Amino acid sequence: MSSTLLRTVPALRGALRASAVKPAAALASTSFVRGKATLPDLPYDYNALEPYISSKIMELHHKKHHQTYVTGLNTALENIAKAEEKGDFTKAASIAPLLNFHGGGHVNHSLFWENLAPASREGGGEPKGDLKQAIEDDFGSFEDFRKQMNTTLAGIQGSGWAWLVKDKESDTLSIVTRANQDPVTGAFVPLLGIDAWEHAYYLQYENRKAEYFDAIWNIINWKTVAKRYD
Amino acid sequence: MVNFDNILKYLAVQAPLRAFSGEDFNATKMAVQEYTLPALPYAYNALEPHISAQIMELHHSKHHQAYVTNLNNALRLHVAAVGAGDIASQIEMQQVIKFNGGGHINHSLFWKNLAPAESEETKPEAAKELVAAVEKTWGSLDDFKNAFSSTLLGIQGSGWGWLVKDSANGLRIVTTKDQDPVVGRDVPVFGVDMWEHAYYLQYLNGKAAYVENIWNVINWKTAEERFLGTSEATKL
């Protein structure tokens, strides 16, 4: 069931394969656990993004929030499989919103951690090469892009994400938002995601979310974003 | 594409002229209604230990204030867009009005349906008729609380949980996303804010504990008044 389901959700399948499923374990195990999601390790320490994102935020965000999405995703997948076994497709369909929410939460956070990096390492600065050119072509300049992204983030009503995406057909870049944990799927490849949920910044920035949106540019991992673009 | 220049020009030039024109229906008169932040009916620390003073102060003086400010701005721009015949801007402002107007309504209702835990208002005995109707609908007050709590915890993202009275006097639990208000024929009896800013500084990711504790500060007296339709509390 899991593999059938995952075949229809490319972004979800990609994230599970890329960041969650351990290949050795998958080989050794039965097909039932093949698609089980696990919490990916952060590619840096909890305090590595300070002072822009506090250690406390990173620890809660990764260890508690992301873990809850992973657990919720696995539960949703199991319950859908159980419903399918019983031929109860109404029940299976009723679980779809939970699959979208927790699956999206897992995918989004997995992408987010990797498109951030400590300011002392790859974080910050400006994109280079083809990505830089594409941003200038589609937004005018890097600064225009940054401003547009911040305006978009500030305009999100409620919980959600803003993404720099590439259209698979035309290769053009654009900024899109997604409500809650809806993942970026379909025609778009997600390149850079910024979490605008309050839990992503509130302990440090409280209601001053514009300060968080300004600060996060110091820790964007443009190498990762460029890799996703290519 | 919204042309803010036209709107601003209209505000700067047309509105003052019309103000002196004596027309019955004009943009300036429509814009007179200014919403203001209502004072809390208790001190910021009055809901401790269930909701911290720090949360209450930020929630009221910053978050609620931002909804009020943005609502007033959006209403002004909307009126200007009506005057300028700019339908695209009107539609854009309607989304902003819905969000910030909803935020203003929801928080105004929320403050009044909370009260210090040790007060008489937070005892269910202060809502005899409402509690009887709740028991009739859910079997017991505890069954209702459990149903309401699990609805709150099932909200995906930002939003509110409400006990509402419908036009046939029936009680229902509903949720509204983001700052969507309860409008139409449903009367909000009480609401609980499930945005992370309502609890995060104190409860972090442990929102189940926030939901458990909120029952200690629900103002049943206000809820009863809204249920019976005798309260001004549902009016802004």
Side-chain angles (χ1 to χ4, degrees):
Chain A
M1 178 58 207
S2 298
S3 61
T4 318
L5 187 76
L6 293 177
R7 255 203 303 279
T8 66
V9 189
L12 185 62
R13 184 186 58 204
L16 287 171
R17 206 203 278 130
S19 63
V21 178
K22 301 204 166 46
L27 282 176
S29 61
T30 69
S31 60
F32 290 106
V33 293
R34 193 172 50 199
K36 219 162 171 60
T38 55
L39 183 67
D41 288 334
L42 278 194
Y44 36 76
D45 291 337
Y46 286 136
N47 65 5
L49 304 185
E50 288 196 340
Y52 308 107
I53 302 180
S54 75
S55 183
K56 191 170 183 198
I57 288 178
M58 289 304 294
E59 184 166 355
L60 280 163
H61 202 171
H62 177 256
K63 215 199 283 184
K64 302 289 183 180
H65 290 278
H66 191 167
Q67 180 63 61
T68 301
Y69 296 121
V70 169
T71 307
L73 168 60
N74 287 327
T75 305
L77 289 170
E78 278 161 32
N79 289 339
I80 287 169
K82 273 186 218 156
E84 191 202 22
E85 267 169 40
K86 289 186 202 149
D88 189 347
F89 302 118
T90 307
K91 171 86 178 163
S94 77
I95 301 165
L98 285 168
L99 175 66
N100 180 68
F101 183 67
H102 292 287
H106 176 45
V107 171
N108 293 340
H109 286 90
S110 298
L111 291 166
F112 183 55
W113 308 135
E114 289 180 4
N115 67 222
L116 298 180
S120 57
R121 295 198 334 231
E122 299 92 340
E126 292 190 17
K128 296 189 182 80
D130 291 348
L131 175 62
K132 176 189 162 74
Q133 190 58 51
I135 286 177
E136 285 169 1
D137 289 347
D138 291 322
F139 297 96
S141 69
F142 174 70
E143 192 48 30
D144 286 335
F145 157 68
R146 210 182 59 85
K147 276 189 196 146
Q148 210 175 306
M149 189 81 167
N150 278 6
T151 306
T152 303
L153 283 162
I156 292 174
Q157 297 180 339
S159 303
W161 293 72
W163 296 90
L164 172 66
V165 299
K166 180 175 84 167
D167 188 296
K168 283 176 192 165
E169 295 293 322
S170 65
D171 269 5
T172 27
L173 299 183
S174 55
I175 294 172
V176 299
T177 61
R178 287 290 178 272
N180 301 325
Q181 295 297 353
D182 290 353
V184 173
T185 55
F188 295 135
V189 184
L191 305 181
L192 164 66
I194 296 179
D195 191 346
W197 278 60
E198 290 178 319
H199 67 234
Y201 62 84
Y202 207 83
L203 290 181
Q204 185 175 357
Y205 295 95
E206 299 174 342
N207 62 303
R208 303 178 310 277
K209 62 181 174 180
E211 290 178 24
Y212 160 66
F213 299 142
D214 276 341
I216 202 154
W217 297 99
N218 293 295
I219 47 172
I220 299 299
N221 188 334
W222 289 109
K223 235 190 235 175
T224 297
V225 181
K227 238 181 260 166
R228 290 176 187 162
Y229 174 74
D230 299 333
Chain B
M1 197 59 202
V2 174
N3 192 334
F4 284 102
D5 284 347
N6 277 350
I7 299 175
L8 292 172
K9 254 182 240 158
Y10 180 85
L11 274 178
V13 181
Q14 294 299 323
L17 291 177
R18 284 192 171 205
F20 296 104
S21 70
E23 288 172 36
D24 281 331
F25 180 85
N26 70 47
T28 312
K29 280 188 181 167
M30 283 173 69
V32 165
Q33 174 74 53
E34 273 278 311
Y35 292 92
T36 53
L37 183 68
L40 277 194
Y42 37 75
Y44 285 136
N45 65 0
L47 305 185
E48 289 198 339
H50 309 294
I51 304 178
S52 73
Q54 189 192 10
I55 287 178
M56 289 303 294
E57 182 165 0
L58 280 165
H59 203 171
H60 178 257
S61 72
K62 303 292 183 180
H63 289 278
H64 191 169
Q65 180 63 64
Y67 295 120
V68 170
T69 304
N70 294 334
L71 171 62
N72 287 328
N73 289 339
L75 287 171
R76 265 194 298 275
L77 289 170
H78 185 264
V79 165
V82 170
D86 182 348
I87 190 76
S89 298
Q90 288 172 49
I91 293 167
E92 184 179 11
M93 281 308 119
Q94 283 157 13
Q95 320 298 324
V96 183
I97 291 167
K98 183 181 183 185
F99 181 68
N100 291 288
H104 176 45
I105 292 172
N106 293 339
H107 287 90
S108 298
L109 291 168
F110 184 54
W111 309 135
K112 289 184 187 170
N113 69 223
L114 300 179
E118 62 279 5
S119 65
E120 288 300 310
E121 287 93 329
T122 55
K123 299 192 170 79
E125 293 75 45
K128 290 209 165 54
E129 305 238 12
L130 173 61
V131 169
V134 161
E135 286 169 348
K136 210 176 130 200
T137 310
W138 282 277
S140 73
L141 185 58
D142 277 345
D143 285 330
F144 160 70
K145 284 186 181 179
N146 288 337
F148 195 89
S149 295
S150 50
T151 301
L152 292 177
L153 294 174
I155 291 173
Q156 297 178 344
S158 301
W160 293 73
W162 301 93
L163 173 64
V164 301
K165 182 181 75 167
D166 63 29
S167 53
N169 265 349
L171 289 172
R172 278 183 298 119
I173 296 168
V174 300
T175 61
T176 55
K177 69 170 175 62
D178 302 328
Q179 293 298 355
D180 289 359
V182 173
V183 292
R185 278 183 286 184
D186 286 347
V187 175
V189 176
F190 65 78
V192 175
D193 191 348
M194 288 306 290
W195 279 60
E196 290 177 318
H197 67 234
Y199 61 84
Y200 207 84
L201 290 178
Q202 184 176 359
Y203 293 95
L204 306 174
N205 63 304
K207 64 180 172 180
Y210 162 69
V211 166
E212 203 182 317
N213 285 345
I214 198 86
W215 294 108
N216 297 308
V217 290
I218 291 293
N219 187 329
W220 287 100
K221 185 166 174 274
T222 295
E224 177 87 339
E225 287 166 3
R226 289 179 189 162
F227 175 67
L228 296 175
T230 57
S231 176
E232 291 294 301
T234 50
K235 298 193 178 78
L236 293 181

